[in-house]
Amino acid sequence: MAERSTAAVDVADNSGDNPLTAKADKATTDGVTESIDTAEQSTNGAGGERKATEPSIATPELHSGHKLARRYRLEECVTRLDGFSSWRAVDEKLRRAVGVHLLPADHPRARSVLAAARSSALLGDPRFVQVLDAVEENDLVYVVHEWLPDATELTALLALGPLEAHDAYQMVTQVSQAMAAAHREGLAHLRLTPSAVLRTSTGQYRIRGLAVAAALRGISSDTPQRTDTEAIGALLYAVLTQRWPYESDAYGLHGLPKGVGLIAPDQVRAGVHRGLSELAMRALVNDGATASRQEPPCTTPDELVKAVGEMPRIRPPEPAFTAPPEYQRTTYQQGTYGRPAVGPGPSVTQPVAPPPPALQGRTGKALKWTVSALLIAALGLGSWQLADALLHRDKGGSNETGNTQTTDHGNDGDKPKAPVPIKIQDAQEYAPDGSPQNAADVKNTYDGDRSTYWRTRRFNDGPDLAPSVKAGVGIVYDLGSPQDISSASILLRYGGDHTTITLYAADSLSPSTPVKSMKKIATVKTSGTKADLKASTPVKSQYVLLWMTAMPDSPQDDYSSAGFKQAITDVKFAG
C-alpha cells in the first residue's frame, strides 16, 4: 500500500537549463560522477560529515515517459548516482514541473530517505524547496519536490565571477536565517553546497535538499549545527573570492594553494568587504578553533545570524546615471533666449547677439526710409493675402467658373496610412499552469538587441504542444496605455515545421481570464524565423499576450538538447 507524506505544498526546483547545469547533467547521466565524489570528499574533510561506505547498487532502469502513480511523468534524468536517480518530471494532475528522486525500495538508505523527506515536508518553510510527496509503491521509493524554473544555482552565478558585496550579504543573511529555523525544528542539511542554493529572479535565496540530500548519499554528522555553519562560511568565502576555501577544487572552483592554509577573503582578492571577510573566517571552524583571530567563532546558524545582525547593513550599489545627450538649441528657441537652458546637466546661458551699430549721416537716413517703405509694402501684401485666404476658406475652398462649383479634395485619402511603431514599456512571462519557461529573460525580446533572446524549454512531442502537458507558452507585453494594435513583427531563433503564434488582448500583465476568453488580435503559422501578424481590424488594448502553441524540432544548444523548442529574439508592435 502506498505511503504518502501528509504535507503537500501547491507551488512549482531549479533552473536546470543553464549551461553549467546542462553539462553537469550530461556528465552524471553518462555515469561520470568524479566531480560529485570530489566535492563530497572536500566537504567531508572540512565539516566532520561521514558518508556511509556501501557496495554499488544498480539504479532502477527507468526511461523518459515513465509515469509514477499515474501522475508524475518522467522527462529528463539529471543525476544518476549510488543506486538512485533524480529526474525532471511533470505532474500531469496539476500541470506543473516537479523534481523526483528515485531509488529501489530495498536500497539500504530507502527508509532514511523517506523519513528525511517527510520531516522536511512538515517544516513548510518557503525558504526551502518544498517536498510535495514521499511515496513507496511498486518496489520503488520516490520523493517529489518543487521545480523552480526561474531560479539559478549558486554554482552558475559563481562561474560568472564573485558576487557584489550586497548580494553576498543577502545570501549569507537569508541562508543562515533559514538554516537557524531548520535547526530549531531538529532538521539539518549536511550537504549545503553551491548547487544546493538557488537564487530566484526576485533575488530571494532558496535551499534545496534539506535532510533529503544527505540521506540519499548516506551522510551523517556528530555536530550537525557546526557542519551546516561551516558550510555557510564556505559559501560566503566562495561568493567573495570565487575560490573554494580548501585545498581541493570543487563545484567548478579552484581550491586554495596547497600548504599555505586558510587565507582571509580580503587577502585573496582586492576589494572584498572587510566585514564579510571576517564573518566568513568566523564561520570556518577547524577542530573547534575559529580561523579568525579577532572575533569569537560562530559554531551554530543562530550565532551566525547574530553576527550578521551586528554588522552595519550593506546597501545595494547606487544605479549608474547616464546623462541624456544634449540637444542643440538655437539662440532664438522659445523659452531659452538669454536664459539658462532647462534640463539635466549644468545650466548654460545662450549668448545674445549684440545689436548692429546705428547708421550715421544722410546715407543712414535714406536707408532707414527705404527699409521702412519696404516693411510697409510687405505688411500690406501680407494683409491682402491673409484676407484672400480667409475669403477662400469661407467659400468652402471652391473654385467658381460661371455657375459651376468644384471642390478639390486632393489624393491624400487614397494613400494607406503607414503603421506607427508602438513602444513596449514592460513585459512578463505568462504561465497559467505555474511553470514558466525563462521568466528572467523576457526583457531580451524587446531590448533592441537581436543577439539576445527568451527561450522555451525543450518538449518531447511536437510541433503542436499537447494540451494535457502544456497548453502553450507566452509573454504579456505592456504598451503603457491603450493602443490600436494592427500588426506585429516577431523574430525567432529557430526555423522548421512549424511555429504557431497568436496575439490576444489581455486585461493586465498578469491576466485574470483564461486565453480562450481573451479577444484574438491575429494569428500566424510559419516555418521561417520571422512571423508577421496583421489584424483584420485594429484592436485597442494596453496589454498584448503573445501565445505560442507550436514550435519546431530544433537542434541542441548551450541550454538544452535537441527537441521541440523555440526562442524569441525581437518583438515589435505597430498601430
Side-chain angles (χ1 to χ4, degrees), residues 143-178:
V143 175
V144 182
H145 59 88
E146 286 183 278
W147 188 272
L148 306 180
D150 69 332
T152 306
E153 285 186 5
L154 194 57
T155 310
L157 297 175
L158 286 172
L160 303 176
L163 298 190
E164 186 270 330
H166 176 261
D167 291 334
Y169 174 76
Q170 289 295 324
M171 187 280 296
V172 71
T173 300
Q174 295 181 35
V175 172
S176 59
Q177 288 176 349

Side-chain angles (χ1 to χ4, degrees), residues 429-547:
E429 186 168 331
Y430 178 60
D433 59 356
S435 179
Q437 303 293 293
N438 188 20
D441 288 342
V442 166
K443 60 183 180 298
N444 292 341
T445 63
Y446 63 98
D447 61 357
D449 184 355
R450 296 188 179 184
S451 65
T452 62
Y453 53 86
W454 167 88
R455 60 184 174 81
T456 71
R457 293 185 175 276
R458 177 185 64 83
F459 296 91
N460 293 328
D461 301 319
D464 295 300
L465 295 176
S468 60
V469 177
K470 195 80 172 173
V473 296
I475 301 172
V476 179
Y477 293 93
D478 180 1
L479 307 182
S481 62
Q483 305 282 345
D484 288 322
I485 303 124
S486 61
S487 62
S489 175
I490 302 165
L491 296 184
L492 307 169
R493 190 177 185 202
Y494 304 113
D497 185 22
H498 56 270
T499 301
T500 302
I501 297 174
T502 306
L503 299 181
Y504 293 93
D507 56 11
S508 68
L509 267 179
S510 301
S512 57
T513 58
V515 173
K516 62 182 180 180
S517 300
M518 299 180 187
K519 182 177 179 60
K520 183 186 292 187
I521 300 174
T523 188
V524 70
K525 180 177 178 180
T526 180
S527 58
T529 57
K530 184 178 181 182
D532 291 317
L533 296 93
K534 186 173 181 62
S536 56
T537 57
V539 176
K540 197 176 191 68
S541 179
Q542 178 176 343
Y543 304 97
V544 181
L545 168 63
L546 186 159
W547 189 240

Side-chain angles (χ1 to χ4, degrees), residues 17 28 39 89 99 138 164 225 238 253 279 301 305 362 438 456 547 559:
D17 279 351
T28 53
N138 298 332
E164 186 270 330
Q225 295 211 48
L253 302 175
L279 187 68
V305 170
R362 293 182 178 179
N438 188 20
T456 71
W547 189 240
Y559 294 96

